[in-house]
Amino acid sequence: DIVCADSIDARGDINLNEIAHEIADAVLYSNYFVFGLSVFDVNVEGQIAASDVNADGLALTVADLVYLIRVVVGDALPYPKEVTTVSANYIHTNSGMMSVNDDVAIGATYVVIEGNTVPQLMADGMEMKYNFDGTNTRVLVYSTEGNSFTGDFLNVQGDLVSIEMATRDGSPVVASLIPTEYALKQNYPNP
């Protein structure tokens, strides 16, 4: 049988075993953030299509992971919901500390750091997975119990490649970096 990704209607059934919103789906999905697309070995396109758990039209996002965990825990219903985007500010200091403003309760964050580094989890009640893929270190901070965090959440050395966040209810977060240092450099030679 040939199955096209467009014909798969398995929202929340990441492992495509015909049982949606189970803990195995959440584990597989969290592994995707750390190990990449190689964890999808049944039908890659179908599994990607099934990852749009919160029905916002975006697959493979940390917001979908948060919403999937909420459904597994029993904190949310597995049906499409209205998705709103939330804004948050974060800081990544030269010493490696990452913080998010206290206005927004973050349910999960996915951070990619340049090079091979070992992150340290700072957020209480959260879990962390990380892996070096040969170029970058991928870090996922999340909770299988539906917890959230604000303030300091990770201590990691290296240049930030990307960051993705979602609120506790699975809404995507537009994250803006707040500079921690300002400097005025010499302009010689004057162009």
Side-chain angles (χ1 to χ4, degrees):
D1 292 336
I2 297 174
V3 179
C4 297
D6 295 341
S7 67
I8 296 175
D9 186 20
R11 180 170 294 154
D13 185 14
I14 311 298
N15 59 11
L16 297 180
N17 68 350
E18 299 182 12
I19 304 171
H21 307 101
E22 61 182 343
I23 192 68
D25 295 315
V27 170
L28 179 63
Y29 205 5
S30 66
N31 284 339
Y32 155 75
F33 288 100
V34 178
F35 300 107
L37 284 173
S38 64
V39 301
F40 297 151
D41 58 2
V42 176
N43 177 326
V44 177
E45 290 80 13
Q47 289 177 282
I48 291 171
S51 73
D52 184 18
V53 180
N54 67 3
D56 64 356
L58 302 173
L60 301 176
T61 65
V62 75
D64 292 313
L65 174 64
V66 171
Y67 197 72
L68 175 60
I69 291 171
R70 288 190 63 211
V71 172
V72 169
V73 171
D75 191 29
L77 296 175
Y79 59 86
K81 65 179 185 65
E82 183 180 319
V83 177
T84 57
T85 303
V86 178
S87 296
N89 296 318
Y90 71 94
I91 297 171
H92 187 198
T93 66
N94 287 340
S95 65
M97 186 63 68
M98 295 188 79
S99 301
V100 66
N101 61 327
D102 294 336
D103 304 14
V104 181
I106 303 297
T109 186
Y110 172 56
V111 178
V112 179
I113 300 291
E114 189 175 284
N116 189 2
T117 186
V118 177
Q120 179 184 4
L121 181 64
M122 306 303 291
D124 292 332
M126 302 302 286
E127 302 166 43
M128 178 181 72
K129 288 184 175 184
Y130 70 95
N131 181 51
F132 177 63
D133 66 8
T135 305
N136 298 316
T137 302
R138 300 164 167 239
V139 184
L140 177 65
V141 177
Y142 69 110
S143 171
T144 56
E145 298 175 3
N147 296 330
S148 61
F149 66 88
T150 59
D152 295 344
F153 64 93
L154 197 62
N155 191 346
V156 61
Q157 295 295 320
D159 291 332
L160 182 67
V161 175
S162 66
I163 187 168
E164 181 182 342
M165 296 182 187
T167 63
R168 184 185 174 283
D169 65 356
S171 296
V173 173
V174 176
S176 302
L177 176 64
I178 297 177
T180 57
E181 293 184 2
Y182 298 92
L184 182 59
K185 304 281 185 175
Q186 176 59 39
N187 66 344
Y188 177 83
N190 190 351

